[in-house]
mmCIF file of all heavy atoms in Angstrom:
data_model
loop_
_atom_site.group_PDB
_atom_site.id
_atom_site.type_symbol
_atom_site.label_atom_id
_atom_site.label_comp_id
_atom_site.label_asym_id
_atom_site.label_seq_id
_atom_site.Cartn_x
_atom_site.Cartn_y
_atom_site.Cartn_z
ATOM 1 N N GLY A 1314 12.992 -6.515 19.885
ATOM 2 C CA GLY A 1314 12.411 -5.295 19.335
ATOM 3 C C GLY A 1314 11.543 -5.638 18.138
ATOM 4 O O GLY A 1314 11.522 -4.920 17.130
ATOM 5 N N VAL A 1450 28.511 9.098 18.914
ATOM 6 C CA VAL A 1450 29.669 8.246 19.253
ATOM 7 C C VAL A 1450 29.211 6.988 19.987
ATOM 8 O O VAL A 1450 29.778 5.898 19.787
ATOM 9 C CB VAL A 1450 30.770 8.969 20.069
ATOM 10 C CG1 VAL A 1450 31.453 10.053 19.255
ATOM 11 C CG2 VAL A 1450 30.246 9.531 21.363
ATOM 12 N N HIS A 1460 29.390 -5.388 14.554
ATOM 13 C CA HIS A 1460 30.027 -5.982 13.385
ATOM 14 C C HIS A 1460 31.245 -6.825 13.799
ATOM 15 O O HIS A 1460 31.447 -7.916 13.273
ATOM 16 C CB HIS A 1460 30.360 -4.895 12.356
ATOM 17 C CG HIS A 1460 29.113 -4.222 11.830
ATOM 18 N ND1 HIS A 1460 28.107 -4.929 11.208
ATOM 19 C CD2 HIS A 1460 28.676 -2.942 11.871
ATOM 20 C CE1 HIS A 1460 27.115 -4.115 10.884
ATOM 21 N NE2 HIS A 1460 27.443 -2.895 11.284
#
Side-chain angles (χ1 to χ4, degrees):
V1450 293
H1460 297 302

